[in-house]
Structure formats: C-alpha cells, structure tokens
C-alpha cells in the first residue's frame, strides 16, 4: 500500500472550517488506497501569540519551558484535526512528536532531529488509522519536549517521510507551490514545476519562508523528494528533488528577499595578519551598526555554467538608481544588501530583467548579455 505524508501549515488549519477541509482531504486520500500520516502545524498566529504571552510573563523565559509552551499549539491543532476526521466518519488518532518517535538533541527552541523511531505510527497505520502528528516538536533522550525552530513542522514532515520511506511527501500551504519570487511581493511570479534541493535551500536560507531551510537540508541529505502545493486547490505544486542536467539550462530559478538584516561596519581595520581573529574575539573598536537594510538574492544552479548574471543584476539596479551596499556570492547565488525601502521594487525589477515568470532557458533569454555556457564555476 502507498504511504503518503501530508503536512498542513498554520493557515491551512487556521479555522474550524479549514480543519474540516483538511480532514476531508485526509479521508479522501485514504479512500484512494493510501496509508496516511498527516503533520499538522499550530493554527495561524498561535505560535506568535504564545511567544508574546511568554514575553509578558518573563523577558527571558527558560528555553525548556518555552518549548513546553510552544509545542502546545501543534498538539491542539493535531487533536482538533483527528476529531474532525472522526466526526466525518473516518478513523484518526493524534500523536505528539514524542509519541511519533521523534528524538532530538537538547538544543531547546532549535533542536536537531537525532533519530526517528516510528514504531507506533506503523502499528496504527496497519490498524487503518489516519495518523495525525503534531509538527514542530520532539523529545530529548531524557523525555523533555523540544521544538525544531520556526517553520519546524516542515522538518517533521520531511523526517517522517524519510523514516517511513513514504512514497510521497506533500507540503500543503497557502500558495500554489514555490514561485519564482514570493507572489505577495511580485504579482507576476510564476509557480515552478520542479527545482533542485540546492536551489530551494538557497532561497529558503535567504528569506523565502515557503519551506524551512533546515527541512530542505534534511530532505537533500536523505534524498526525500517532496511537493509544495496548495491546501485550497487540487492543482499540482512544485517538486523539489535531486538536480537533473537539464535544470542547469535555467540560469535564474528564483529571487528571494530577507528584510530582517542589519549591517555592521568596523572602521580603521589594518590590513595585517591576525586582525580578523582579534575582531571576532571581541576587541572591535568603532563598530557601526545599521538596520533598515534588506538582502535580495538571485538563485539558480544554472549560474554554475553561465556567466554574466552579476553584471546584469548590478546594471539593472544602477539604471534604476538603487544603491548596492554589499555583495556576497555562492556558487549558485548572488546576494546584495540594499536599503529596505528599495527592496520590493528591486525584486520586481530583477524579476522582470531576467524574464522570470516566463522561465526562458538561457539561450533564448530576452537580453542574453554574456549568458554563455562555460566550463568553470562562475557567477
Ligand atoms: P505554512 O504556514 O503553510 O507553513 P508559510 O507562511 O510558512 O506557510 O509559507 C508560505 C508563505 O511563503 C507564502 O504565503 C508566501 O508569502 C511565502 N513565500 C516566500 N517566498 C515564496 C516563494 N518563492 N514561493 C512561494 N511562497 C513564498
Ligand atoms: N507553529 C510553528 C511556527 O509558527 C511551526 C510551523 O508552523 O511549522 O513556526
Ligand atoms: Mg511554514
């Protein structure tokens, strides 16, 4: 029998009616002949509210208590989802992360998954239950509750799909898939049909919150292919998987924006051996900090074999009087730091500049500049 892991995010279970809709989909999936494991996030806004409450009680709550508190959001939503399935005539049971066998280290609020022992899940599946797991949490070897970092229900789903050797892992969310840029910022952004783990990893690590970056890292490490898709529609979403040779034909896969950035500059640094070590061991003098900046990144594995992207990006920003404060690159990413007030306009301009939304292969891009394949790594 096919085993499917489906994860539903906060907006997808944000109201009782939406929880019932999720329950109906779970029952349908089981009736289609699948064993179903559902990972449920806290209802939209609940985790933020719990964090606010904790702050009102104590400016520095102990992390262990914080995890006890935060994990309740997912426990409530998963129990409600199980109730909804049962009320609709299905057969479901909810489990905490610990009951689902998710063992973590003791790094409270950002714990790493050390092991998954899904014995109880297997037993319940063979008794025809739809198994509903509270996302975002696990337990230490001593039995303390931990959470997996913001967006951590994605990680729960990927880890369970890997441990259960699921045939499919579906991440249901409030957009139709992964887009060329956040569709709430660039309305012309287009849904991608497929992308490589490394591309989503770079996008998620640079502010695209559609997937938790640690979840993508885990998926890459254990080869868990997954689909991000809408919980409100039936349409297919975006498959993220190991790269294939043809993926390199698309130079830029997507653009992401991270507003939560600050710039630190240190003046009067001499160019001599040992200086970096002294700065990082805390004797930095004249440290200037600047907030109100954002990071804009363009990402694509095609950049490994095509040059000219940086020049085209910088020229586009220059033509539009947007100042670049800093630049950083990786093999498949170019990122710039900009004034936050320019960030959304810059995202739209760069999106249009590279013809995204139409996803032309490099050879037929509108203004090819130096988009020529070359054998060396280059940005
Ligand atoms: P969930 O609660 O289902 O986990 P999130 O809010 O964590 O959902 O992630 C979905 C959101 O990610 C979307 O509403 C969208 O605004 C944002 N997002 C950012 N970048 C992208 C992108 N490139 N493609 C799709 N969505 C994106
Ligand atoms: N509820 C948690 C959060 O808001 C985890 C998740 O939604 O994935 O970050
Ligand atoms: Mg999320």
């Amino acid at each position: 029998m096919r085993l499917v892991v489906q994860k539903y995010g906060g907006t997808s279970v944000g109201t009782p009616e939406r929880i019932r809709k999720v329950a109906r989909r779970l029952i349908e999936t089981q009736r289609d002949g699948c064993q179903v494991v559902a990972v449920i996030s806290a209802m939209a806004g609940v985790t933020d509210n719990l964090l606010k409450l904790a702050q009102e009680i104590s400016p520095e709550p102990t992390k262990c208590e914080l995890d006890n508190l935060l994990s309740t959001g997912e426990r409530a939503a998963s129990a409600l989802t199980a109730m909804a399935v049962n009320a609709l005539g299905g057969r479901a049971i909810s489990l905490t992360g610990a009951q689902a066998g998710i063992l973590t280290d003791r790094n409270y609020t950002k714990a790493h998954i050390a092991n998954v022992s899904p014995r109880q899940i297997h037993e319940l599946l063979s008794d025809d239950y739809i198994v509903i797991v509270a996302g975002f949490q696990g337990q230490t070897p001593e039995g303390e509750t931990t959470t997996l970092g913001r967006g951590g229900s994605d990680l729960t789903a990927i880890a369970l799909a890997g441990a259960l050797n699921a045939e499919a892992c579906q991440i249901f969310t409030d957009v139709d898939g992964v887009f060329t840029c956040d569709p709430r910022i660039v309305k012309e952004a287009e849904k991608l049909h497929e992308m490589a783990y490394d591309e989503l990893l770079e996008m998620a690590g640079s502010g695209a919150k559609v997937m938790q970056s640690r979840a993508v890292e885990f998926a890459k490490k254990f080869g868990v292919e997954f689909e991000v898709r809408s919980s409100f529609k039936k349409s297919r979403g975006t498959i993220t998987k190991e790269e294939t040779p043809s993926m390199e034909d698309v130079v830029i896969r997507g653009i992401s924006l991270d507003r939560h950035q600050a710039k630190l500059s240190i003046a009067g640094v001499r160019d001599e051996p040992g200086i970096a070590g002294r700065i990082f061991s805390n004797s930095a003098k004249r440290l200037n900090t600047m907030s109100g900046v954002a990071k804009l990144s363009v990402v694509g594995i095609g950049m490994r074999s095509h040059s000219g992207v940086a020049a085209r990006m910088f020229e586009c920003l220059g033509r539009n009087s947007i100042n670049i404060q800093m630049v950083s690159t990786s093999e498949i990413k170019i990122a710039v730091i900009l004034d936050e007030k320019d960030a959304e306009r810059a995202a739209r301009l760069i999106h249009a500049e590279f013809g995204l939304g139409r996803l032309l292969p490099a050879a037929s891009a509108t203004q090819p500049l130096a988009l020529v394949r070359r054998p060396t790594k280059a940005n």
Side-chain angles (χ1 to χ4, degrees):
M1 213 182 207
R2 297 166 57 214
L3 195 161
V4 177
V5 173
Q6 298 189 338
K7 177 255 171 177
Y8 291 90
T11 316
S12 312
V13 292
T15 63
E17 192 35 56
R18 287 188 176 170
I19 290 180
R20 271 192 283 275
K21 201 168 169 200
V22 167
R24 278 193 283 274
R25 202 190 272 252
L26 297 177
I27 293 171
E28 266 169 38
T29 311
Q30 192 188 44
R31 289 200 180 134
D32 284 347
C34 297
Q35 292 186 313
V36 185
V37 175
V39 173
I40 304 292
S41 288
M43 293 170 78
V46 166
T47 309
D48 288 340
N49 285 339
L50 290 171
L51 275 169
K52 252 185 250 151
L53 264 175
Q55 285 294 320
E56 278 176 33
I57 298 289
S58 154
E60 271 191 63
T62 53
K63 288 191 166 177
C64 168
E65 292 305 338
L66 200 55
D67 273 357
N68 254 339
L69 178 72
L70 295 185
S71 63
T72 61
E74 269 68 15
R75 292 182 67 157
S78 54
L80 289 168
T81 309
M83 285 177 204
V85 170
N86 293 332
L88 289 165
R91 183 172 154 85
I93 198 159
S94 66
L95 301 178
T96 63
Q99 289 169 327
I102 296 177
L103 191 75
T104 72
D105 61 16
R106 294 173 195 83
N107 196 355
Y108 294 102
T109 74
K110 282 194 191 99
H112 290 94
I113 294 182
N115 196 10
V116 182
S117 326
R119 186 186 47 81
Q120 202 173 341
I121 297 184
H122 279 302
E123 283 170 12
L124 292 166
L125 287 174
S126 55
D127 276 348
D128 284 338
Y129 278 102
I130 292 174
V131 181
I132 316 252
V133 178
F136 177 54
Q137 56 188 274
Q139 84 173 356
T140 65
E142 294 76 28
E144 302 286 351
T145 301
T146 47
T147 63
L148 308 176
R150 296 307 303 264
S153 300
D154 294 335
L155 179 55
T156 307
I158 299 286
L160 284 179
L164 294 163
N165 203 11
E167 193 174 303
C169 178
Q170 300 171 320
I171 309 288
F172 286 91
T173 185
D174 57 4
V175 283
D176 294 355
V178 181
F179 282 66
T180 47
C181 190
D182 187 340
R184 297 183 205 286
I185 297 173
V186 177
K187 68 174 183 338
E188 294 80 17
E190 197 171 57
K191 184 178 80 184
L192 298 162
H193 297 293
E194 61 171 25
M195 65 196 304
Y197 292 124
D198 281 337
E199 291 173 321
L200 187 51
L201 194 54
E202 287 278 16
M203 283 177 73
S206 326
K209 73 177 268 227
V210 63
M211 274 298 284
Q212 190 206 36
S213 60
R214 285 170 66 187
V216 186
E217 207 179 323
F218 200 100
K220 176 180 152 87
K221 189 165 168 194
F222 295 98
V224 180
E225 208 171 289
F226 62 92
E227 180 185 14
V228 176
R229 55 187 289 171
S230 168
S231 60
F232 307 124
K233 299 181 189 165
K234 291 276 178 190
S235 50
R236 307 293 304 176
T238 306
I239 303 282
T240 303
K241 59 182 191 180
E242 202 55 67
E243 66 186 74
T244 57
S246 69
M247 283 183 181
E248 275 203 28
D249 293 343
V250 175
V251 184
I252 308 294
R253 184 75 58 193
I255 295 174
S256 48
L257 197 58
D258 197 343
R259 289 188 181 76
H260 309 292
Q261 300 289 313
K263 197 170 88 176
L264 306 182
S265 26
I266 307 165
V269 177
R270 285 204 303 274
D271 186 12
E272 61 187 26
I275 196 80
R278 287 203 292 283
I279 289 170
F280 279 85
S281 54
N282 239 348
S283 52
K285 291 179 187 125
R286 280 186 287 158
L287 181 67
N288 301 315
T289 59
M290 185 177 153
S291 54
V293 293
K295 185 166 73 173
L296 178 79
S297 310
V298 298
V299 173
I301 54 174
M303 274 190 240
R304 286 190 197 130
S305 48
H306 296 83
S307 63
V309 174
R312 188 163 168 182
M313 178 180 182
F314 300 163
E315 279 169 10
C316 170
L317 293 171
R319 260 195 325 276
N320 290 283
S321 312
I322 295 175
N323 189 39
I324 299 170
Q325 301 180 19
M326 289 165 81
V327 175
S328 74
T329 61
S330 80
E331 197 188 16
I332 64 163
K333 179 182 78 174
I334 299 169
V336 291
I337 298 290
L338 310 164
D339 198 317
E340 198 181 342
K341 72 171 170 27
D342 294 325
E344 292 202 0
R345 185 167 68 95
R348 287 190 278 271
L349 287 165
I350 298 295
H351 196 269
E353 173 67 24
F354 286 102
L356 292 178
R358 284 172 289 138
L359 275 190
L360 299 177
S364 57
T366 39
Q367 294 171 38
L369 270 182
L371 298 182
V372 177
R373 263 184 188 281
R374 65 180 199 204
T376 51
K377 293 176 185 174
N379 289 327

